[in-house]
């Protein structure tokens, strides 16, 4: 009886020890897991914490793959866009010479014929010259090494000193002086040295499209009515149908481009009058809001008056 009691007591002690050992091991594992989790959080916070981080930075980080894709696609398709501009402009010029000019020469008075010939060719020369200069002229980049130009910051991408109004273009992979934007239709950045050519091209292309749309308006109405009647009773030849479709193509394309380019040209005119670029407009807007919250008034340091800004942009007058 005594032996059996001792065996039961020993068994009970062994079970209690096993339970206590299991609890200790479980508590040690939980403690170790909690320690690792706390350490991981501390490492993540120390690596990712930034006092300047906000929702804009978070969105930029999330959309970084999309930006990378757009940059590379734009870089490779820039040549395609340039060829497209040349082809569309060449087709419009061809239609004007083949379809519109004979009608003008045969029906208009001598004074109007002279005006059309002079203005049309002058506008065409301006478009070709300014587009060529905008494409071929480098926008300018900061000088490497020592320079007398004051540098205000360091570029985070190319790790080089950056003067005022210079920004890094991720498509061209370089810093650009007085950068406005990267234009895929030029396959080039619009900056300090070619901004004037870009604006002049937009202006003269808008005037040329308006000129073609206004000059071909009556011919477009006749062509549209003739094509509609031909669908009901086909009585016109293939050559006449091609002529009318060419006039419709010219009017629709020139009107659409004139509408789009007119808005772009007016927007850049406003920026030029304010002494800003497209990038600076966005930066100055945020800075203006930040200064307003502090009860201060933000003033653009590069604003020299609307007329003086226009003169400086065109190179007529230098800033004193």
């Amino acid at each position: 009886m005594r032996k059996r009691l001792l065996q039961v007591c020993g068994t009970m002690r062994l079970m209690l020890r096993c339970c206590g050992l299991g609890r200790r091991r479980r508590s040690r594992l939980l403690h170790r897991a909690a320690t690792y989790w706390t350490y991981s959080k501390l490492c993540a916070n120390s690596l990712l914490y930034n006092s300047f981080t906000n929702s804009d930075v978070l969105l930029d980080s999330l959309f970084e793959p999309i930006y990378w894709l757009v940059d590379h696609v734009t870089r490779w398709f820039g040549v395609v866009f340039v060829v497209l501009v040349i082809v569309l402009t060449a087709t419009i010029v061809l239609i004007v010479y083949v379809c519109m000019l004979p009608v003008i020469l045969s029906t208009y008075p001598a004074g109007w014929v002279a005006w059309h010939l002079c203005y049309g060719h002058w506008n065409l020369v301006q478009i070709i010259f300014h587009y060529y200069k905008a494409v071929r002229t480098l926008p300018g980049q900061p000088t490497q090494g020592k320079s007398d130009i004051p540098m205000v910051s360091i570029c985070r991408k190319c790790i080089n000193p950056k003067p005022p109004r210079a920004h890094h273009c991720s498509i061209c992979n370089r810093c650009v002086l007085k950068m406005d934007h990267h234009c895929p239709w030029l396959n080039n950045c619009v900056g300090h040295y070619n901004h004037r050519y870009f604006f002049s091209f937009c202006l003269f292309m808008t005037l040329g499209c308006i000129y073609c749309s206004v000059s071909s308006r009556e011919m477009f109405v006749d062509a549209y009515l003739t094509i509609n009647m031909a669908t009901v009773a086909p009585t016109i030849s293939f050559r006449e149908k091609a002529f009318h479709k060419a006039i419709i193509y010219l009017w629709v394309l020139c009107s659409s481009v004139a509408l789009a380019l007119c808005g772009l040209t007016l927007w850049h005119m406003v920026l030029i009058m304010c002494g800003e670029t497209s990038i600076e407009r966005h930066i100055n807007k945020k800075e203006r809001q930040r200064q307003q919250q502090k009860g201060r008034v933000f003033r653009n340091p590069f604003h020299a008056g609307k007329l003086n800004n226009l003169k400086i942009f065109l190179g007529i007058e230098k800033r004193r």
Side-chain angles (χ1 to χ4, degrees):
M1 188 74 182
R2 192 173 180 181
K3 273 186 179 181
R4 196 172 289 174
L5 187 60
L6 290 173
Q7 287 178 357
V8 172
C9 291
T11 305
M12 293 289 290
R13 287 174 184 170
L14 184 61
M15 290 177 63
L16 289 172
R17 283 184 181 179
C18 290
C19 291
L21 185 61
R23 288 177 181 173
R24 288 177 184 174
R25 285 182 179 175
R26 202 176 301 161
S27 62
R28 286 178 183 174
L29 289 175
L30 291 174
H31 179 70
R32 190 174 296 176
T35 304
Y36 283 143
W37 173 251
T38 306
Y39 178 71
S40 301
K41 286 173 62 179
L42 180 63
C43 288
N45 289 332
S46 63
L47 291 173
L48 303 177
Y49 176 76
N50 188 349
S51 59
F52 296 102
T53 302
N54 52 24
S55 59
D56 294 338
V57 177
L58 181 61
L59 288 175
D60 288 342
S61 301
L62 292 175
F63 282 95
E64 189 66 30
I66 300 176
Y67 296 152
W68 180 88
L69 182 64
V70 171
D71 290 347
H72 284 71
V73 168
T74 306
R75 186 181 304 171
W76 289 108
F77 276 84
V79 179
V80 178
F81 290 145
V82 171
V83 173
L84 186 62
V85 171
I86 295 173
V87 170
L88 291 177
T89 306
T91 57
I92 294 299
V93 173
L94 181 63
I95 293 172
V96 168
Y97 273 106
V98 175
C99 300
M100 280 185 59
L101 191 59
V103 176
I104 291 173
L105 293 175
S106 60
T107 58
Y108 282 38
W112 278 107
V113 170
W115 184 86
H116 278 284
L117 289 175
C118 293
Y119 177 78
H121 288 90
W122 174 78
N123 203 344
L124 179 61
V125 169
Q126 295 294 328
I127 290 172
I128 295 172
F129 171 77
H130 287 104
Y131 186 71
Y132 175 80
K133 294 295 289 184
V135 172
R136 299 294 297 173
T137 303
L138 294 176
Q141 60 184 102
T143 56
Q144 304 293 330
K146 294 182 178 180
S147 175
D148 296 333
I149 302 174
M151 304 294 175
V152 296
S153 62
I154 300 294
C155 179
R156 294 180 298 175
K157 301 292 181 66
C158 53
I159 319 298
N160 286 322
K162 195 164 61 171
R165 312 187 81 177
H167 300 279
H168 188 88
C169 176
S170 57
I171 299 174
C172 298
N173 197 23
R174 64 186 176 191
C175 285
V176 177
L177 295 175
K178 197 184 175 184
M179 180 179 174
D180 188 88
H181 68 286
H182 184 92
C183 182
W185 300 103
L186 302 179
N187 194 28
N188 196 7
C189 274
V190 177
H192 179 67
Y193 291 112
N194 64 347
H195 195 178
R196 179 179 59 179
Y197 298 124
F198 166 77
F199 176 77
S200 299
F201 164 71
C202 291
L203 177 63
F204 286 112
M205 181 61 85
T206 303
L207 294 177
C209 290
I210 293 174
Y211 163 74
C212 290
S213 297
V214 173
S215 300
S216 63
R217 185 180 62 85
E218 294 182 0
M219 297 175 65
F220 164 75
V221 173
D222 293 338
Y224 183 76
L225 294 176
T226 305
I227 291 294
N228 284 342
M229 291 177 61
T231 57
V232 179
T235 57
I236 61 175
S237 64
F238 174 78
R239 184 175 181 180
E240 291 176 341
K241 188 180 290 186
F243 174 86
H244 292 311
K245 287 186 176 180
I247 294 297
I248 293 173
Y249 166 79
L250 178 142
W251 191 88
V252 171
L253 180 61
C254 288
S255 301
S256 304
V257 173
L259 189 63
L261 269 183
C262 184
L264 181 65
T265 305
L266 290 175
W267 167 247
H268 276 276
M269 176 63 75
V270 171
L271 293 177
I272 292 167
M273 292 290 190
C274 295
E276 296 176 327
T277 61
S278 299
I279 297 176
E280 290 172 353
R281 184 74 166 190
H282 178 69
I283 295 173
N284 291 346
K285 182 180 178 181
K286 286 192 170 182
E287 185 64 22
R288 191 174 290 108
Q289 292 175 353
R290 194 174 69 87
Q291 294 292 342
Q292 191 174 2
Q293 291 175 356
K294 296 182 178 180
R296 301 174 183 173
V297 178
F298 172 77
R299 298 186 183 279
N300 181 14
F302 303 104
H303 183 47
K306 294 182 179 181
L307 184 59
N308 288 333
N309 288 334
L310 186 60
K311 290 181 178 180
I312 293 170
F313 176 79
L314 297 175
I316 301 174
E317 178 180 316
K318 295 183 178 179
R319 187 192 293 269
R320 294 181 180 179

